[in-house]
Amino acid sequence: MPTRGERRSFRSEAKVMPEKETIQRARRDKAQGKSPSTQAGEFVREEIHHVREGKHGARSPKQAIAIGLSKARRSGVKLPPPGRGKASAETRRKALRDVRSGGKRRSVKRARGVMKALRREPRSSGSRSALAAQAHSSAMRRTARDRSAAARKAASTKGPAKRRAAARKAARSRRRSR
């Protein structure tokens, strides 16, 4: 909170815009031909950083991810809304709205209200353990075949040096868990 003598401009505070660096990283991903979900990942990463550094909180890791995806859609990443059965009708509607509203200015009052509400939320949702739990529960909703196919694809696109490093890391964690 600003002290009595200093005044803070709410116009600058109310900006819920992604950082320039994040947009550049997403553009680089696009130029390299990476998928929209990878491009959107940059915005999610930024949001997790915001929660960790205490800029604001989130009720859960899922909320932080949702905020990041929303920012990505508003910034022009061609990320389609989730399909039927993947998310609630409300979530799909909001995602569609984000896609359409790309580039439009948001109400300063609303942005300020959103930031004020997010500041009251806990910061623990950005922790490694919370994100790991979220990733685990998300993976468990996928079939074993899907997970296996994703792992195979990841291994084939990694290259020999990174594959070797990943194998060493896996061996280390196997040793630790014994």
Side-chain angles (χ1 to χ4, degrees):
M1 263 346 266
T3 58
R4 223 171 156 190
E6 80 181 67
R7 288 191 54 194
R8 194 168 9 164
S9 161
F10 277 110
R11 279 220 178 269
S12 63
E13 181 185 303
K15 281 184 189 163
V16 192
M17 282 292 295
E19 292 163 11
K20 202 177 275 186
E21 202 177 308
T22 303
I23 294 170
Q24 286 171 347
R25 271 203 297 267
R27 280 195 185 132
R28 193 178 320 127
D29 287 348
K30 187 179 182 182
Q32 290 173 352
K34 292 181 180 174
S35 71
S37 63
T38 304
Q39 296 164 42
E42 296 296 346
F43 293 88
V44 173
R45 183 173 177 265
E46 177 192 69
E47 216 45 50
I48 297 298
H49 281 302
H50 285 178
V51 173
R52 282 180 176 169
E53 65 196 13
K55 189 172 183 180
H56 61 74
R59 194 154 293 189
S60 65
K62 242 183 188 174
Q63 187 188 28
I65 293 165
I67 293 168
L69 292 177
S70 174
K71 273 188 181 181
R73 287 187 178 106
R74 284 170 180 272
S75 296
V77 174
K78 300 261 186 293
L79 188 70
R84 265 209 164 115
K86 294 279 184 186
S88 68
E90 186 185 4
T91 303
R92 287 204 319 275
R93 223 179 11 254
K94 284 183 178 179
L96 253 172
R97 186 190 64 198
D98 287 337
V99 170
R100 286 196 198 113
S101 76
K104 287 184 191 157
R105 261 187 73 77
R106 215 153 132 216
S107 150
V108 175
K109 278 185 181 177
R110 173 172 292 192
R112 194 184 310 146
V114 166
M115 280 307 280
K116 206 171 170 185
L118 283 174
R119 278 200 200 103
R120 291 193 296 265
E121 298 297 345
R123 307 297 192 262
S124 58
S125 49
S127 69
R128 279 176 178 271
S129 57
L131 286 168
Q134 163 59 30
H136 183 76
S137 68
S138 179
M140 293 325 293
R141 281 194 293 273
R142 296 168 68 194
T143 63
R145 177 182 259 177
D146 273 350
R147 293 197 309 270
S148 178
R152 258 199 308 279
K153 184 179 179 184
S156 70
T157 58
K158 239 182 184 116
K162 286 195 174 171
R163 225 181 355 253
R164 197 175 305 118
R168 281 200 192 110
K169 185 177 180 183
R172 262 200 314 273
S173 48
R174 269 197 303 274
R175 243 180 279 136
R176 256 200 315 269
S177 65
R178 280 184 189 161

